[in-house]
């Protein structure tokens, strides 16, 4: 759907750091841009913010909104640029590859709305910036109320400024544990302990024993220095080589069992101790959201990221990818990659000073992403803390014992077969949550199963799908500090 | 050294291996991928007589229909209560015509099936709505087929494989056929990615890839992939009780546009999801999603069950059926290369026809007497001599996505 003027039309999927940077760079390189995000706000998972003006927050709240200025700049640019059409509440539910380029099928409006507007885009280029979601490894009791993903706890604290409990244990792996603990602490929650599964040796190999020291020199990957000082102020113990191996309680979490782990993450017998807590926040890093990228036929690496070249081009000549879909590298990587992807997708000159600077920045952040993976990558021994009755797939309530039993009975570890014989991964989340854990249990690589329907869609919407878009209300959503914007009518792209 | 090598560990290969082993043969089953994960994992698990007109395929389907309850009981007995359930359910089929133009052909089709012994009961609108209270009352005709059944196809395949292993069958996954082995005009085994495997007989049961495999033996058969898509909803209370599909395929068969045919096939699973099919396209092994196909399926399904408009489709999947131009399975030995056998070409009916195919092939291969005339299915039949293409679709053509 190139315009009559012959300008390239770039569709950017996802308005987190990478998507915002991509949209801005593409527009500045002369393209017409449609920026889509399923949420009502821009910023993605990273730049979550309370749904009220920032000016009302105190200094502690402001510290929670980390990187706020970094966010405001591309966000302002995206909102004010005449060539960028920002569509929030826009769910891409299907992506097609045609010989003449991609098609994106989008529904715009609240997900429970029975009459969402359908939008079909046929852009010259797509930038996939769909980000990542929390990865959580199961443990006995993880389905009790009071156990949340660290991301959800963070979102509650940041967005709604609600704390998840009074005495919280934060556990898992990765530098994200620290900002989560810090955010919770500023909400008046008592963070009892922060438990990092990776041991000192792995951390030293990847990072350095003190993550905040590295980040200072590496250019504030996640602004850990701030968190470290917050932690110090709140005196939160940070233990490495430890994990929550069980949560206990009747109607909700009352206590957890903490154990030391060996270098392969196997719990060390005899090191268990009980810690009283009414909430547990768990994070084992992030899983990239690959549905759109897979639907567009891009090559996926064995580590399950979109394969990109030095200009963020994928194996599909019409598709670029940036941010966490190409490697878990944090916000600076996302901004650099987003810029490069948008610039190149728009046909921008790869040899400008800005482009060279972005390539340089991206190289630096790639190094950090590799360190992150080395330091915090999941080790296989974690399955040792599962008991037979630990639920692995929560949608279908499949236990670890049943999964192992099914594998033994059918003599198959193929994910397609195991899914259909055990039902693990067949529920509403379609394995988005449990697939990594199931794959670890099977000892089989993650199943790269295409999900032709990217996200659940009503049959009624499907029956109307793909018809030419006639009209649509553009909603730019709101953000803190904004007047509530009046929805405006725009022409169909 | 095996007596028999079976190529393809889908449900048809599994059923053949199991039936051969039951007759004392040493069988090795090879699959280039993982057993039961290709065509067998991408259908609805149909065991149908309703969609077959009088003739050899209906005879095979009726034979299969009588075998299934015994097979299910045997498998339960052999594999124990902890084995995942096959979810075998003789739920019955309900075929409806939504237009007056489709009503008379449906009634005539049912009458011809009755003459062949099928339990095909024309039902009034009131009776139809008693069978399916949520069905749209805008119907011109309906026929109830109590013999139609459904099975969970992947569990069924894994169960047949597990049973075959108990009978001494070796299953080799990740083993791709490179070519034939043999001296002179006699097949003596296979060259594979895992090395040489010797056998007196080789059975090609590679589903839609059978044509490709047959080429490697220099004995081509016109088996081609015919793509189908199925939608799966989230779980809901059971509101669809039978396999319900529209019989308006007569219109589709009149069409010269063979690119896409869609018909509504709606049924619940034991888990509470609803499966919504189906489509037929000949696009090779192209796996790219086409939203127009999903839309066509959705539109037709909503004509039958308007309440599904608010149902949430959580996934869709696509698979390839083994299509042959004369719409009959290919079962038997190939006169061009002694030792080469086929059990393929079931298009959308492979799940249901698998046990009957296994019995038929095993009887023929071990020199027994099959309970069914095998001649219509032989690889050397005239209907396979020329590839007639997909436009000459028989009435059983426009339905059902197994």
């Amino acid at each position: 759907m190139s315009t009559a003027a012959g300008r390239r039309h770039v569709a950017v999927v996802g308005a987190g750091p990478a998507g915002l940077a991509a949209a801005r760079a593409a527009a500045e390189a002369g393209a017409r841009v449609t920026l889509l995000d399923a949420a009502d706000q821009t910023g993605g998972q990273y730049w979550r913010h309370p749904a009220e003006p920032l000016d009302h927050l105190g200094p502690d709240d402001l510290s929670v909104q980390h990187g706020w200025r970094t966010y405001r700049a591309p966000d302002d640019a995206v909102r004010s640029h005449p060539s960028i059409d920002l569509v929030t509440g826009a769910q891409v539910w299907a992506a097609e590859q045609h010989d003449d380029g991609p098609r994106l099928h989008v529904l715009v409006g609240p997900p429970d709305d029975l009459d969402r507007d359908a939008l079909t885009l046929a852009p010259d280029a797509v930038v996939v910036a769909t980000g990542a979601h929390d990865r959580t490894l199961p443990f006995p009791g993880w389905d009790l109320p009071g156990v949340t993903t660290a991301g959800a706890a963070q979102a509650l604290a940041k967005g709604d400024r609600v704390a998840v409990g009074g005495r919280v244990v934060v556990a898992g792996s990765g530098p994200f544990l620290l900002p989560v603990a810090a955010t919770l602490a500023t909400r008046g929650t008592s963070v009892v302990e922060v438990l990092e599964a990776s041991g000192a040796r792995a951390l030293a190999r990847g990072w350095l024993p003190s993550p905040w020291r590295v980040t200072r020199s590496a250019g504030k990957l996640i602004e850990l220095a701030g968190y470290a000082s917050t932690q110090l102020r709140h005196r939160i113990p940070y233990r490495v080589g430890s994990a929550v191996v069980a949560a206990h309680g009747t109607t909700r979490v009352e206590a957890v069992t903490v154990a030391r782990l060996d270098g392969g993450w196997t719990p060390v017998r005899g090191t268990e101790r009980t810690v009283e807590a009414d909430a547990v926040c768990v994070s084992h890093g992030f899983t990239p959201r690959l549905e759109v990228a897979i639907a567009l036929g891009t090559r996926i690496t064995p580590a399950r990221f979109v394969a990109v070249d030095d200009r963020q081009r994928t194996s599909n000549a019409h598709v670029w990818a940036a941010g966490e879909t190409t490697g878990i590298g944090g916000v600076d990587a996302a901004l650099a990659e987003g810029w490069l992807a948008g610039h190149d997708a728009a046909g921008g000159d790869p040899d400008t000073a800005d482009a060279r600077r972005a390539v340089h920045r991206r190289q630096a952040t790639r190094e950090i992403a590799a360190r992150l993976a080395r330091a915090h990558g999941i080790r296989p021994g974690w399955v040792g803390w599962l008991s037979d009755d630990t639920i692995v797939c929560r949608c279908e309530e499949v236990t670890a014992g049943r999964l192992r039993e099914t594998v033994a009975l059918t003599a198959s570890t193929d994910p397609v077969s195991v899914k259909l014989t055990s039902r693990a991964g067949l529920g509403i989340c379609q394995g988005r949550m449990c697939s990594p854990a199931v794959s670890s249990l099977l000892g089989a690589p993650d199943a790269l199963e295409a999900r032709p329907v990217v996200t659940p869609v009503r049959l009624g919407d499907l029956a109307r799908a793909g018809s030419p878009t006639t009209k649509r209300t553009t909603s730019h959503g709101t953000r803190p500090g904004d007047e509530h914007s009046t929805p405006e009518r725009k022409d169909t792209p | 050294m095996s007596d028999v090598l079976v190529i393809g560990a889908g449900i048809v290969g599994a059923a053949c291996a199991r039936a051969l082993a039951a007759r004392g043969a040493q069988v090795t089953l090879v699959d280039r991928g993982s057993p039961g994960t290709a065509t067998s994992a991408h259908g609805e698990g149909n065991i149908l007589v309703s969609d077959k007109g009088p003739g050899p395929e209906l005879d095979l389907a009726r034979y299969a229909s009588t075998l299934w309850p015994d097979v299910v009981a045997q498998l339960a007995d052999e594999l124990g209560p902890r084995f995942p359930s096959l979810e075998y359910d003789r739920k019955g089929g309900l075929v409806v015509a939504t237009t007056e133009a489709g009503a008379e052909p449906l009634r005539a089709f049912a009458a011809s099936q009755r003459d062949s012994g099928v339990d095909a009961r024309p039902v009034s609108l009131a009776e139809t709505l008693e069978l399916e209270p949520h069905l749209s009352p805008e119907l011109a005709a309906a026929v109830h087929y109590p013999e139609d059944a459904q099975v969970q196809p992947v569990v069924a395949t894994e169960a047949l494989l597990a049973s075959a292993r108990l009978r001494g069958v070796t299953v080799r996954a990740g083993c791709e056929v490179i070519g034939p082995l043999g001296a002179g005009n006699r097949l003596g085994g296979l060259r594979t990615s895992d090395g040489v495997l010797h056998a007196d007989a080789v059975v090609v049961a590679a589903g839609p890839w059978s044509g490709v495999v047959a080429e490697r033996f220099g004995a081509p058969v016109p088996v081609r992939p015919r793509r189908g898509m199925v939608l799966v909803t989230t779980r809901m209370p059971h509101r669809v009780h039978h396999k319900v599909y529209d019989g308006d395929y007569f219109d589709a068969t009149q069409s010269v546009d063979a690119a896409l045919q869609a018909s509504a096939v709606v049924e619940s699973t034991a888990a509470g999801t609803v499966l919504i099919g189906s489509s037929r396209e000949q696009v090779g092994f192209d796996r790219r999603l086409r939203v127009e196909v999903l839309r066509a399926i959705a539109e037709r399904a909503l004509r039958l069950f308007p309440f599904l408009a608010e149902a949430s489709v959580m996934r869709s999947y696509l698979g390839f059926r083994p299509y042959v131009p004369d719409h009959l399975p290919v079962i038997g030995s190939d006169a061009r290369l002694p030792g080469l056998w086929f059990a393929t070409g079931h298009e959308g009916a492979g799940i249901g026809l698998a046990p009957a195919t296994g019995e038929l092939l095993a009887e023929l291969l071990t020199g027994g007497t099959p309970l069914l005339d095998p001649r219509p299915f032989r690889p050397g039949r005239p209907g396979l001599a020329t590839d007639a293409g997909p436009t000459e679709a028989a009435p059983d053509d426009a339905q059902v996505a197994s």
Side-chain angles (χ1 to χ4, degrees):
Chain A
M1 214 184 283
S2 299
T3 55
R7 295 166 71 194
R8 268 173 82 77
H9 179 201
V10 177
V12 180
V13 185
L20 286 171
R24 180 186 190 179
E28 283 171 357
R32 192 165 59 82
V33 178
T34 308
L35 174 59
L36 305 164
D37 199 284
D40 293 333
Q41 300 179 333
T42 61
Q45 301 292 316
Y46 183 76
W47 284 318
R48 259 178 209 279
H49 28 66
E52 61 185 83
L54 197 65
D55 304 342
H56 298 182
L57 305 182
D60 261 5
D61 292 305
L62 278 171
S63 75
V64 167
Q65 307 297 325
H66 55 283
W68 184 250
R69 274 188 301 276
T70 329
Y71 160 59
R72 283 304 284 250
D75 187 63
D76 282 338
V78 156
R79 283 166 195 279
S80 58
H81 203 293
S83 299
I84 299 177
D85 186 16
L86 167 66
V87 192
T88 55
Q91 185 77 62
V92 175
W93 64 268
E96 288 178 284
Q97 312 164 55
H98 286 264
D99 294 336
D100 60 348
R103 302 262 195 293
L104 299 178
H105 296 268
V106 189
L107 287 165
V108 186
D112 51 359
D113 191 338
L114 286 178
D115 195 23
R116 287 191 283 178
D117 286 333
L119 182 65
T120 303
L121 301 176
D124 301 299
V126 174
V127 177
V128 178
T130 42
H133 56 70
D134 280 299
R135 177 168 176 165
T136 305
L137 298 176
F139 53 88
W142 77 311
D143 46 344
L144 277 172
V147 181
T148 60
T149 65
Q154 174 97 332
L156 279 176
K158 278 182 159 187
D160 301 327
R161 291 189 279 128
V162 173
V164 290
R167 282 175 59 82
V168 183
V169 173
V170 177
S173 186
F176 188 51
L177 300 179
L178 299 172
V180 169
T183 302
L184 293 172
T186 60
R187 292 280 161 264
T189 296
S190 164
V191 179
V192 190
E193 297 186 26
V194 179
L195 304 168
E196 162 64 52
S198 287
R201 192 178 295 177
L203 293 173
R205 251 196 332 262
W207 286 121
L208 283 175
S210 316
W212 44 90
R213 211 184 299 156
V214 166
T215 47
R216 200 174 293 146
S217 61
K220 69 176 175 64
L221 167 66
I222 29 167
E223 302 179 3
L224 282 184
Y227 300 122
S229 64
T230 309
Q231 281 216 51
L232 219 59
R233 211 161 66 224
H234 294 273
R235 296 203 183 97
I236 303 167
Y238 176 77
R239 301 186 206 284
V240 301
S242 296
V244 169
V245 296
H248 316 282
T250 44
T251 56
R252 64 169 290 132
V253 177
E254 292 160 16
V256 298
T257 301
V258 173
R260 293 197 53 80
L261 306 181
D262 70 14
W265 288 22
T266 301
V268 179
R269 216 176 275 247
T271 63
E272 297 88 354
R273 59 192 169 84
T274 305
V275 176
E276 280 184 34
D278 60 6
V280 188
C281 300
V282 207
S283 165
H284 295 92
F286 300 91
T287 304
R289 294 182 197 269
L290 297 177
E291 291 89 351
V292 172
I294 290 173
L296 290 171
T298 62
R299 192 173 74 78
I300 307 295
T301 66
R304 279 185 68 79
F305 293 106
V306 183
V308 288
D309 68 4
D310 56 358
R311 282 152 64 183
Q312 305 299 130
R313 292 178 294 193
T314 70
S315 61
N316 179 332
H318 298 279
V319 182
W320 285 251
E324 312 290 64
T325 56
T326 64
I328 304 299
V331 65
D332 286 352
L335 289 168
E337 291 166 3
W339 192 92
L340 276 169
H343 183 74
D344 204 59
D349 181 357
D351 220 25
T352 63
D354 278 349
R356 283 194 299 271
R357 202 160 33 242
V359 169
H360 182 74
R361 259 167 57 214
R362 200 257 324 269
Q363 288 314 107
T365 55
R366 281 228 172 128
E367 161 65 12
I368 291 165
R371 281 163 160 268
L372 264 173
R374 271 201 304 277
H376 301 286
I378 290 170
R379 310 290 198 271
W382 71 270
V383 298
W385 70 56
L386 293 175
S387 58
D388 273 352
D389 60 357
T390 308
I391 285 179
V392 175
C393 164
R394 292 167 79 154
C395 297
E396 296 287 320
E397 300 187 338
V398 181
T399 63
R402 182 59 180 154
L403 195 65
R404 288 175 171 139
E405 182 180 33
T406 305
V407 166
L409 287 167
T410 61
S412 176
T413 55
D414 183 277
V416 172
S417 171
V418 174
K419 210 163 88 166
L420 286 154
T421 52
S422 73
R423 299 201 61 77
L426 279 186
I428 179 73
C429 92
Q430 288 292 292
R432 286 171 180 88
M433 300 302 140
C434 67
S435 172
V438 170
S439 297
S440 295
L441 272 170
L442 300 182
D446 286 296
L448 264 189
E449 210 208 349
R451 297 186 183 93
V453 173
V454 166
T455 186
V457 58
R458 265 185 220 87
L459 201 68
D461 287 331
L462 256 180
R464 291 188 296 272
S467 6
T469 308
T470 49
K471 63 176 165 60
R472 148 181 95 70
T473 305
T474 300
S475 159
H476 283 193
T478 56
R479 66 174 180 180
D482 273 346
E483 297 295 316
H484 280 286
S485 58
T486 315
E488 53 181 302
R489 216 47 125 173
K490 278 215 173 181
D491 289 337
T492 310
Chain B
M1 175 77 195
S2 307
D3 300 323
V4 187
L5 287 165
V6 179
I7 302 169
I11 195 162
V12 172
C16 288
R18 178 175 180 266
L20 285 162
R23 286 162 178 79
Q26 280 291 323
V27 184
T28 298
L29 189 50
V30 300
D31 195 292
R32 68 167 179 173
S34 298
T37 59
T39 300
S40 298
H42 293 92
E44 296 161 315
N46 293 322
I47 304 172
L48 304 184
V49 292
S50 58
D51 63 336
K52 294 164 185 76
E57 197 192 12
L58 179 59
D59 298 339
L60 191 65
R62 295 193 62 220
Y63 179 33
S65 177
T66 62
L67 286 176
W68 265 106
D70 290 343
V71 169
V72 170
Q74 288 162 16
L75 292 173
D77 202 39
E78 291 170 28
L79 305 175
R82 300 298 297 168
F83 202 92
S85 169
L86 269 71
E87 298 172 12
Y88 173 77
D89 184 5
R90 200 162 189 158
K91 59 166 66 169
L94 186 69
V95 184
V96 300
T98 56
T99 62
E100 280 305 326
E104 194 41 46
L106 174 62
R107 289 190 199 102
F109 189 56
S112 71
Q113 291 172 310
R114 273 196 305 280
D115 292 342
S116 296
V118 174
D119 189 357
R121 307 175 184 176
V123 280
S124 69
L125 182 60
E127 289 167 326
T128 303
L129 295 178
E130 212 163 289
L131 292 168
E132 288 293 342
H134 296 278
L135 195 61
S136 162
E138 317 247 316
L139 300 171
V143 181
H144 180 211
Y145 294 86
E147 294 161 306
D148 280 356
Q150 184 186 20
V151 73
Q152 212 275 23
V154 176
V155 177
T157 307
E158 292 288 8
L160 289 168
L161 287 169
S163 167
R165 282 193 198 92
L166 292 177
R167 296 172 184 195
V169 173
T170 304
V171 182
R172 299 177 71 132
C175 176
E176 177 153 18
V177 172
I178 296 166
L181 197 68
N185 192 31
R186 171 85 212 175
L187 191 56
L190 295 172
R191 287 182 293 119
T192 75
S193 57
D194 273 3
V196 165
L197 301 174
H198 294 274
D200 299 325
V202 171
V203 181
V204 177
W209 292 273
S210 297
V212 178
V213 173
E215 292 278 350
R216 293 179 193 172
F217 294 95
V221 291
V223 180
R224 291 199 305 231
R226 197 171 204 195
R227 192 170 99 151
M229 296 201 70
V230 176
L231 307 171
V232 188
T233 71
T234 53
R235 288 180 173 201
M236 61 177 84
H238 273 281
R239 276 187 277 182
V240 181
H241 307 285
H242 302 77
K243 182 181 190 77
V244 183
Y245 62 95
D246 74 53
D248 300 332
Y249 53 81
F250 295 99
D251 299 339
T253 60
Q254 304 303 313
S255 167
V256 289
D257 178 17
L260 168 64
Q261 292 166 27
S263 53
V265 184
V266 183
E267 68 190 301
S268 302
T269 67
T273 60
V274 175
L275 305 181
I276 301 167
S278 76
S279 61
R280 291 176 128 77
E281 296 169 275
Q282 293 214 4
V283 290
F285 287 106
D286 189 344
R287 297 196 157 272
R288 295 180 298 176
L289 169 78
R290 282 293 172 265
V291 164
E292 59 169 330
V293 177
L294 302 184
R295 184 183 59 218
I297 294 170
E299 275 175 353
R300 284 181 164 261
L302 290 181
R303 260 184 254 163
L304 296 189
F305 289 103
F307 85 87
L308 286 173
E310 288 179 33
S312 195
V313 173
M314 64 177 174
R315 75 182 180 122
S316 66
Y317 54 88
L318 66 83
F320 300 98
R321 309 175 184 88
Y323 163 91
V324 286
D326 65 359
H327 304 279
L328 273 183
V330 184
I331 305 164
S333 65
D334 191 325
R336 294 170 294 183
L337 181 57
L340 179 63
W341 295 71
F342 285 95
T344 187
H346 297 77
E347 194 162 348
I351 303 296
L353 298 178
T357 301
E359 290 300 312
L360 189 58
L361 178 111
E363 276 300 294
L364 289 170
L365 203 150
T366 57
T369 312
L371 291 174
L372 198 71
D373 180 5
R375 283 171 301 179
F377 307 108
R378 70 190 188 281
R381 66 187 189 244
L384 299 183
T386 55
D387 195 343
T391 53
E392 299 175 13
D396 64 332
D397 189 40
Q399 316 164 24
V400 191
S402 277

